[in-house]
Amino acid sequence: SSSKTRNRKESNVPMKVGLGICARNEQAGIIATVSSVVNSVCSADFPLRWELIVCANGCTDNTADLVRNWIMVHKDLAVSLKLLATGTLVEAQRLIATRLNDNGSDLIVFFDADILVHIDCIPELIRAASEDSVKAVYAVPVPMANSSETIIERALNQYDSSNTIFSERRHLH
């Protein structure tokens, strides 16, 4: 385990979890995603500190305005919005990871901007990541039922239903 993690455990300071969402033109679902992430992290039955950064990267829709308004309504929560006028997913992830690391996060978790996070997801990820022998944790996405799925959506959701993280090619899914 890292010295940062060992020092936290030895001092009994609650873990700080950094949460990140990169969003590009996600106005249709970004508020549901942000709300589900916050609800999940707040459901932890153990002490923890947390921060969520949403990075709107290259948006041409109302994603940033929707998140900004959500943050204003929920001022008491540790949620912030960063804007990249143009930027790739990698640049958005780098910005979030750098800020969260600089702010003292012990664990950093990224979420897609178009998902709903199960209420138990973040506490379970934190429990798994707290084991000294664990170097990475992975949550398997479970598709939401949609009676009007296209054939492409069905194919993508079928892929996501796998509970294995390594294929025969030995890469992370």
Side-chain angles (χ1 to χ4, degrees):
S1 76
S2 71
S3 61
K4 189 176 187 180
T5 304
R6 269 195 309 276
N7 290 339
R8 180 189 49 75
K9 284 181 180 177
E10 291 167 6
S11 68
N12 293 322
V13 173
M15 176 184 279
K16 181 165 185 186
V17 179
L19 308 164
I21 300 172
C22 301
R24 183 182 186 107
N25 296 333
E26 297 286 356
Q27 71 182 16
I30 190 63
I31 297 308
T33 298
V34 169
S35 296
S36 70
V37 168
V38 169
N39 289 339
S40 181
V41 75
C42 288
S43 77
D45 60 357
F46 47 85
L48 100 114
R49 299 169 299 136
W50 63 273
E51 172 184 10
L52 168 61
I53 298 176
V54 178
C55 182
N57 56 306
C59 292
T60 58
D61 67 0
N62 293 321
T63 299
D65 290 334
L66 291 168
V67 173
R68 191 177 292 112
N69 290 338
W70 190 95
I71 290 170
M72 287 177 20
V73 170
H74 301 89
K75 293 176 194 164
D76 56 325
L77 297 174
V79 180
S80 63
L81 173 66
K82 304 299 178 204
L83 300 174
L84 286 176
T86 59
T88 65
L89 175 61
V90 171
E91 291 167 324
Q93 290 170 331
R94 186 178 300 127
L95 183 148
I96 291 171
T98 300
R99 292 279 170 94
L100 292 173
N101 188 57
D102 290 349
N103 292 346
S105 292
D106 298 302
L107 174 68
I108 296 175
V109 183
F110 280 93
F111 297 93
D112 288 342
D114 59 354
I115 62 166
L116 296 177
V117 175
H118 189 276
I119 194 79
D120 295 329
C121 178
I122 295 172
E124 289 302 318
L125 285 171
I126 294 168
R127 280 186 191 93
S130 296
E131 298 295 321
D132 285 337
S133 62
V134 172
K135 303 300 181 208
V137 292
Y138 179 80
V140 177
V142 177
M144 295 182 342
N146 178 358
S147 60
S148 61
E149 278 182 332
T150 67
I151 193 163
I152 301 294
E153 289 170 326
R154 272 197 310 273
L156 290 172
N157 286 341
Q158 184 176 24
Y159 176 80
D160 283 347
S161 66
S162 169
N163 65 357
T164 60
I165 64 170
F166 288 102
S167 70
E168 291 180 13
R169 293 183 304 272
R170 311 296 278 171
H171 68 274
L172 192 61
H173 285 271

